[in-house]
Amino acid sequence: MALSRNIRVMISSRCNDKFPLDGKGAQTLTEIRKQLKRAIEGQQLFGFDAFEVWINEETAPQGGEWDSWDVCLKAVRDCDILLVLYNGNAGWAETAGDIGICHDELSTAYSTSPGKIRIVDLGPIPVDASDAGKRNKRFQDYYQTQTPFRGAPVTTIAELKERVNEALRDAVVKL
C-alpha cells in the first residue's frame, strides 16, 4: 500500500470459501470482502473520507519482482488496522509442508504490530488428512496459541458485518 492520509485497513481471509458454511444465503468471502470495502470506504470523519481498504482482489498488478505472497505481507506491514475474517483455512501455499498465506499474514502481524489486529471468528472449517487439511490444522493450532479476544463466532453475514463494524470502531478509538 502506498502512504495515505487515510486510515489504512487490510481485510485478510480466504477468498473463495463460502460463508456461512451451512449454505443458507452463503456468499464467497470475496463477495463479502468487496461489500465490506465499499461500506468502510464510504464512512467519513468530519466530512472527509477516512478509510482506505486493501483487499487483494482489487489490487493493481505489481512489478515483476513482487509475487503474491510479498504483496500480501507488505500490505499487512503497511496497514493501520488488520481485520482478519478467520475460518481456520490457512490459504494457499507453494509446497505441502509450508504454512498458508492467511497463516503467514496473521503471524507477520503478531510479530510486527499485534495491536492492530482485530479478528472476526467465523468458526473453523473441518480439517482432514490431506496436505491442505494438515496446513489448516497447523493454522488452527497457531491461532489457538495466540488466544486473541474476538467474541463469539458469527453465524450470519449480518452478524459478520456488525462484528466488523464493532472491531473497526474499537481499532479506530485505540489508534
Side-chain angles (χ1 to χ4, degrees):
M1 279 167 127
L3 292 178
S4 172
R5 296 184 65 166
N6 294 329
I7 298 167
R8 294 169 296 171
V9 178
M10 177 183 173
I11 302 174
S12 171
S13 76
R14 286 294 296 144
C15 296
N16 296 323
D17 289 4
K18 297 274 189 175
F19 180 80
L21 284 177
D22 65 12
K24 296 177 183 157
Q27 296 181 28
T28 65
L29 289 174
T30 287
E31 293 168 318
I32 295 169
R33 288 156 54 110
K34 287 179 179 182
Q35 294 166 18
L36 290 169
K37 177 180 175 159
R38 303 290 174 265
I40 294 167
E41 287 183 341
Q43 298 299 312
Q44 292 194 326
L45 187 60
F46 303 110
F48 297 95
D49 291 340
F51 298 97
E52 171 186 320
V53 179
W54 189 94
I55 57 175
N56 68 301
E57 299 92 336
E58 296 185 356
T59 298
Q62 306 293 303
E65 69 277 5
W66 288 89
D67 68 14
S68 299
W69 205 282
D70 294 332
V71 171
C72 291
L73 293 184
K74 181 173 181 354
V76 168
R77 288 187 294 275
D78 288 350
C79 71
D80 299 305
I81 300 168
L82 177 65
L83 290 173
V84 176
L85 307 181
Y86 173 81
N87 71 352
N89 189 332
W92 66 275
E94 288 191 31
T95 65
D98 288 342
I99 64 172
I101 185 62
C102 296
H103 185 158
D104 203 10
E105 287 172 355
L106 187 59
S107 175
T108 296
Y110 269 118
S111 68
T112 58
S113 188
K116 69 180 169 185
I117 303 168
R118 297 297 181 281
I119 297 174
V120 177
D121 193 332
L122 310 181
I125 61 168
V127 295
D128 58 30
S130 69
D131 289 338
K134 291 174 187 173
R135 186 168 45 252
N136 293 340
K137 176 75 169 111
R138 286 192 300 274
F139 183 37
Q140 291 174 18
D141 290 346
Y142 169 79
Y143 176 76
Q144 290 303 320
T145 65
Q146 301 309 306
T147 64
F149 185 82
R150 61 216 172 253
V154 297
T155 58
T156 68
I157 293 171
E159 288 177 350
L160 186 159
K161 290 178 178 180
E162 182 178 345
R163 187 66 47 84
V164 164
N165 288 340
E166 293 166 349
L168 189 56
R169 181 193 178 279
D170 178 70
V172 169
V173 167
K174 290 191 173 126
L175 280 176

